Amino acid sequence: MAEGLGQMRPERLTDAQSAALAELERALDAGGFQPFLLQGVTGSGKTEVYLRAAEHALARGGGALILVPEIALTPQLVGRFRSRFGSAVAVLHSGLRDRERLLHWKGLRAGAVRLAVGVRSAVFAPVRDLALLVVDEEHDPSFKQDEKLRYQARDLAVVRAKQAGATVVLGSATPSLETLENARRGRYRHLRLPARVDDRPMPGVELVDLRRVRLRPPGTPEQPPALSPPLVQALGEVLGRGQQAILFLNRRGHSAALVCESCGQGVPCSRCDVSLTFHLRARNLQCHYCGESRPVPDRCPACGGPLLPVGAGTERIEAEVADRFPAARVARLDRDAATTAERLTELLSRFARGEIDVLVGTQMVAKGHDFPGVTLVCVVSADTGLLLPDFRAAERTFQLVTQVSGRAGRGQEPGRVLVQTWNPEADAVARVPEHDYDGFAGHELAWREALAWPPFSRLVAVRIEGEDPRETAAVARKLGDRLAVLLPAADTGVRLLGPAPAPLPRLRGKSRWQLLLKAPRHALLGPVLDQLERDLEVLPAAVRVVLDVDPGAML
């Protein structure tokens, strides 16, 4: 998001922007519910289309609501909208003080402000006479609320627009396959921005095959560097020209784990079935699921052997860059470094002003930022999420690598992207150099259809967790037996997968099991879930069962 931050209102739009805007203005003039998918490559000017569509909606006396997936995008986007609309823009996200949020909410409620920008919870904002609802980066998993009140803000935005008789725009360079399939079936009108503004070229993308590139020079310590020679060379060239670079790795901390050189054991979390992550700056081990923290042991807790760090996190990448290029100004953007909204805004502002040469970060650096000085983007590992036990793993990998690649070459200088990978033949990686979203989506949709995964089915995850592993397993099996009785007829169209232990069998001290219900349509799941909810009333109080409709992740 926030493409072209800091630029004045463009005098002319590209032909594709003009065509897309004309479609949206016709929809706003006609009134009534009209859904659109706006698919535009990174840097194609989607934000300018949103701005002008909002201008049109407000000029007609309507209200507009713009949703973004992360707080990180909100300051940039608010700046763009306030430069166009003045101070009459309400802002809604958790980084604000309660009093600030209340003032913005009251302004919308009273109709004094008719334009709101916010994260997923802003979908409930009381915008008067809602005429336009935009969901930018609609593919982003952050739009799914996984705790307490569970909802998918993207889908809820479509429902709200339908109830309000409004135009809804789902925008992305890499649309979710659910949204793309809705467009293919004619449910959404498909608008495209196929090229960057000002005819700027897409960045050149090169894959660095880690199977063939020597990461560990002869005679060096056991753990090889995370940065390959091609990446180090490219970084040196960019810094030599006085330009900026982004290094992306979607893992916090210094090392993924400490492993014993003698027995091979890691240092496990006491409450989760994961190894603790080594954080060098804090000098501790942390669990990124439950938050457990403990001092770094001198020796292996199991056998007393020496502990070695394995795997890389953003802390280690930051240290490697600083060691290789001592004159470079290096900063890190992740949840450990950006602990508050103010700190986040400060880091991004410093990078935008050119006070930072290399920004190392997690997915926080991938989401829509516009930094004209960035000519090099390095993906340290494209494989981090590729092998997760989730049917969306390939889709999420392609989207994330494509999005972070799009941060390069958005100014006058062309961009270059290096992607380190152990799996260059994987479809989600192999199609990135050609920016081939359509090819990837076609291949992935064919696979999903063959296996009846979304968007060709609807899912409900039945998640069971409890303190006692045996009691939790017994409840899971009981629910599985009950569902097998509820689904006796082959023509129900509902399939049951499980019960089975969750991919993370223990999390935050709770034993976890899950079942998965799969059906062609939501309507087929309704009667089954109604009966299942009645059955839950007689289960042990110590075991918690959650029904997650359209789950965002399988973990």
Side-chain angles (χ1 to χ4, degrees):
M1 189 62 176
E3 295 156 348
L5 179 65
Q7 297 177 356
M8 301 298 290
R9 178 189 178 96
E11 293 184 9
R12 295 181 64 252
L13 299 178
T14 66
D15 291 343
Q17 283 177 307
S18 297
L21 180 62
E23 288 277 343
L24 297 179
E25 289 179 343
R26 279 194 288 270
L28 290 165
D29 290 339
F33 170 62
Q34 298 194 54
F36 291 86
L37 164 60
L38 178 61
Q39 180 182 351
V41 300
T42 55
S44 60
K46 294 186 291 296
T47 304
E48 185 61 33
V49 175
Y50 303 152
L51 284 161
R52 299 206 184 195
E55 284 179 344
H56 195 80
L58 268 60
R60 299 184 70 260
L65 174 59
I66 317 297
L67 301 182
V68 294
E70 292 277 1
I71 294 176
L73 295 180
T74 313
Q76 290 192 342
L77 184 61
V78 170
R80 292 273 324 254
F81 272 82
R82 284 183 172 160
S83 69
R84 194 70 58 90
F85 298 99
S87 60
V89 180
V91 182
L92 298 168
H93 61 72
S94 61
L96 299 175
R97 297 179 178 87
D98 290 344
R99 179 174 176 79
E100 290 178 291
R101 278 189 287 176
L102 179 60
L103 288 173
H104 287 298
W105 189 90
K106 284 184 173 180
L108 292 169
R109 180 78 171 176
V113 179
R114 292 184 293 125
L115 173 61
V117 177
V119 293
R120 64 174 176 247
S121 59
V123 73
F124 301 107
V127 179
R128 287 280 191 93
D129 304 315
L130 184 64
L132 175 68
L133 209 165
V134 173
V135 184
D136 190 46
E137 311 292 2
E138 63 82 28
H139 66 277
D140 197 286
S142 298
F143 281 119
K144 172 68 175 181
Q145 170 72 30
D146 286 321
E147 297 178 349
K148 298 180 181 179
L149 176 64
R150 290 169 175 79
Y151 63 92
Q152 166 53 262
R154 176 198 65 215
D155 298 343
L156 196 55
V158 175
V159 172
R160 182 172 180 188
K162 187 173 184 179
Q163 292 176 339
T167 295
V168 59
V169 182
L170 309 181
S172 176
T174 54
S176 65
L177 296 184
E178 288 85 354
T179 297
L180 180 65
E181 185 63 14
N182 277 327
R184 288 185 170 189
R185 295 179 185 181
R187 294 173 180 167
Y188 300 166
R189 292 162 70 181
H190 197 168
L191 309 177
R192 291 179 180 266
L193 305 179
R196 287 183 159 184
V197 296
D198 297 331
D199 295 322
R200 293 173 189 158
M202 295 295 290
V205 181
E206 307 160 42
L207 301 183
V208 178
D209 187 346
L210 294 179
R211 299 170 305 181
R212 294 178 170 83
V213 174
R214 180 184 289 273
L215 289 178
R216 181 193 301 154
T220 57
E222 288 80 358
Q223 189 176 20
L227 308 182
S228 65
L231 194 152
V232 172
Q233 180 181 346
L235 192 55
E237 292 171 356
V238 164
L239 292 173
R241 294 195 296 267
Q243 298 166 347
Q244 293 174 296
I246 289 176
L247 271 64
F248 165 72
L249 178 62
N250 207 23
R251 178 179 287 148
R252 292 185 292 136
H254 179 276
S255 302
L258 293 180
V259 174
C260 177
E261 189 176 10
S262 300
C263 71
Q265 295 291 315
V267 182
C269 174
S270 65
R271 306 179 68 231
C272 306
D273 282 334
V274 297
S275 293
L276 295 174
T277 300
F278 174 45
H279 285 251
L280 180 63
R281 184 160 298 181
R283 295 301 303 173
N284 66 10
L285 298 174
Q286 296 178 18
C287 176
H288 291 171
Y289 288 95
C290 73
E292 177 179 321
S293 176
R294 68 174 77 163
V296 179
D298 295 327
R299 311 291 290 180
C300 172
C303 74
L307 292 169
L308 298 175
V310 296
T314 48
E315 269 193 1
R316 181 178 159 200
I317 303 306
E318 179 188 24
E320 282 197 22
V321 173
D323 183 60
R324 292 267 189 172
F325 304 99
R329 297 166 296 177
V330 186
R332 178 165 47 88
L333 181 60
D334 56 26
R335 285 174 53 195
D336 298 323
T339 52
T340 65
E342 291 79 9
R343 176 62 177 155
L344 172 62
T345 302
E346 178 195 355
L347 272 169
L348 293 173
S349 298
R350 287 177 57 208
F351 192 55
R353 293 194 300 266
E355 297 172 7
I356 297 170
D357 300 315
V358 181
L359 186 62
V360 179
T362 59
Q363 60 182 342
M364 296 174 75
V365 304
K367 297 184 178 182
H369 306 296
D370 185 30
F371 302 114
V374 174
T375 58
L376 176 67
V377 166
C378 299
V379 178
V380 177
S381 175
D383 313 313
T384 303
L386 191 59
L387 302 179
L388 291 175
D390 192 316
F391 70 90
R392 290 192 179 95
E395 178 185 3
R396 296 268 166 83
T397 296
F398 181 86
Q399 289 167 339
L400 200 49
V401 174
T402 298
Q403 291 287 335
V404 73
S405 298
R407 301 313 106 207
R410 298 169 76 95
Q412 297 303 315
E413 298 294 327
R416 182 185 182 192
V417 180
L418 295 182
V419 179
Q420 295 188 157
T421 177
W422 296 97
N423 297 280
E425 292 87 9
D427 204 58
V429 177
R431 294 185 185 271
V432 172
E434 301 302 322
H435 309 282
D436 187 12
Y437 169 83
D438 290 340
F440 169 77
H443 180 272
E444 188 73 5
L445 283 170
W447 175 81
R448 297 270 188 96
E449 186 172 22
L451 298 178
W453 287 112
F456 303 101
S457 65
R458 306 307 293 260
L459 302 182
V460 175
V462 183
R463 307 189 193 278
I464 307 104
E465 62 178 38
E467 301 280 355
D468 186 330
R470 286 180 296 182
E471 185 179 37
T472 305
V475 169
R477 294 188 181 101
K478 182 177 180 180
L479 288 177
D481 293 342
R482 179 59 176 153
L483 285 169
V485 172
L486 292 174
L487 306 174
D491 60 357
T492 61
V494 182
R495 292 182 57 200
L496 172 64
L497 302 178
L504 288 175
R506 192 167 58 100
L507 196 63
R508 302 180 184 93
K510 301 290 182 67
S511 178
R512 305 170 71 239
W513 283 65
Q514 66 183 24
L515 304 95
L516 201 63
L517 293 170
K518 183 189 292 189
R521 302 184 305 280
H522 263 153
L524 296 173
L525 292 164
V528 178
L529 297 181
D530 289 342
Q531 181 58 54
L532 187 60
E533 284 190 320
R534 288 190 288 270
D535 294 338
L536 297 182
E537 297 175 2
V538 299
L539 294 177
V543 177
R544 180 169 178 255
V545 179
V546 171
L547 306 181
D548 188 1
V549 179
D550 296 330
M554 296 291 100
L555 295 181

